Amino acid sequence: MVFVSAKSGPPNIGDPPSMFTVQYFDEQGNMTIRSGGKRTWRCNNPGALLKSPYSMSKDRRAIGSAGFGEYEYAVYPDYETGHEALIVMLRGSRYRNLTLLEASIRYVKEDPGHGPKIAKMSNLDPNRKISSLSDEEFERCWKAIEKNERWEVGEEDFIPRGIISGVHKKRGVITEYLVCVNKESIWLPKQDAIKWTMEGKLHAILVHMKNGNHYLRPEYGQHGFVIIT
């Protein structure tokens, strides 16, 4: 499945706010919710790169961000893209001429023990500059960083987005919507269809009227709803 956008979701019931979920969306608008595990897996971000002009740049191909409070992380479409973002960052101009200790201070300001820990895990001199590392040594370095951030798989929930293929009207007012989800069609009362739309489960636009009422209309560029008698 190819994800094209992502955003933060609420934590599961009973979880602290720091256990934010991540909502991924594919080209059809279907949603996959990642919960549990570690933030690196939930965000496809093995280096736990915070949201920044670098991590969210066009070249890095982030599809959104997610997090809690000041800790907002870039979200990538897959592990490979997130891993590439870490590698390019370490080899880039802002890091390559720093020692492992200096790079850690810039990379993880809130954890002064990060540098010595990475040096020990990778069996490298903490005073070595990143630019001086051989390919094999550099691989040990980034593997230590990713191992320290911990990639732990949680749970995924797939929520397909339904399509309205028809409506029932009573005295000129829509009362039910015929919704196709996973090739199955069901009739939804108007209030249920509105609720589904608010939750992102339907391809429709929710319109708020001045009198407080709501109604649904097709998404931009789509045909009007077919009246089924």
Side-chain angles (χ1 to χ4, degrees), residues 22 24 33-46 75-76 149-157:
V22 180
Y24 289 85
I33 301 176
R34 283 191 173 186
S35 61
K38 294 298 180 182
R39 63 189 177 184
T40 48
W41 172 77
R42 295 199 302 276
C43 295
N44 272 325
N45 184 344
V75 179
Y76 297 101
E149 294 298 340
R150 300 176 63 190
W151 179 278
E152 184 178 306
V153 176
E155 296 180 354
E156 280 190 344
D157 292 306

Side-chain angles (χ1 to χ4, degrees), residues 193-201 206 208 214:
I194 288 175
K195 183 174 183 292
W196 278 34
T197 302
M198 293 176 67
E199 295 173 348
K201 297 179 182 178
L206 179 63
H208 302 265
H214 304 85

Side-chain angles (χ1 to χ4, degrees), residues 8-45:
S8 278
N12 289 335
I13 296 175
D15 286 343
S18 59
M19 283 292 291
F20 59 91
T21 59
V22 180
Q23 299 175 352
Y24 289 85
F25 300 89
D26 63 22
E27 292 179 334
Q28 288 72 45
N30 301 311
M31 179 167 60
T32 297
I33 301 176
R34 283 191 173 186
S35 61
K38 294 298 180 182
R39 63 189 177 184
T40 48
W41 172 77
R42 295 199 302 276
C43 295
N44 272 325
N45 184 344

Side-chain angles (χ1 to χ4, degrees), residues 126-178:
N127 295 306
R128 288 277 302 279
K129 286 188 176 183
I130 292 177
S131 59
S132 73
L133 302 178
S134 67
D135 288 345
E136 186 272 333
E137 289 171 330
F138 182 74
E139 181 176 345
R140 278 154 49 192
C141 177
W142 66 253
K143 282 186 174 179
I145 291 174
E146 291 194 0
K147 183 177 181 180
N148 182 65
E149 294 298 340
R150 300 176 63 190
W151 179 278
E152 184 178 306
V153 176
E155 296 180 354
E156 280 190 344
D157 292 306
F158 177 71
I159 301 176
R161 197 172 187 190
I163 297 174
I164 297 175
S165 58
V167 297
H168 271 161
K169 280 189 174 183
K170 186 175 183 180
R171 297 176 183 175
V173 177
I174 294 176
T175 58
E176 290 182 304
Y177 293 85
L178 182 60

Side-chain angles (χ1 to χ4, degrees), residues 213-227:
N213 292 332
H214 304 85
Y215 70 91
L216 301 180
R217 64 178 176 82
E219 292 179 324
Y220 295 111
Q222 301 300 312
H223 297 294
F225 302 139
V226 176
I227 300 175

Side-chain angles (χ1 to χ4, degrees), residues 95-129:
Y95 280 84
R96 67 184 314 273
N97 291 318
L98 299 179
T99 66
L100 295 184
L101 287 179
E102 292 169 337
S104 286
I105 293 172
R106 176 172 289 179
Y107 176 51
V108 192
K109 296 178 181 179
E110 69 276 12
D111 183 7
H114 182 267
K117 191 187 309 181
I118 297 304
K120 183 178 180 179
M121 292 172 65
S122 61
N123 194 27
L124 292 169
D125 182 347
N127 295 306
R128 288 277 302 279
K129 286 188 176 183

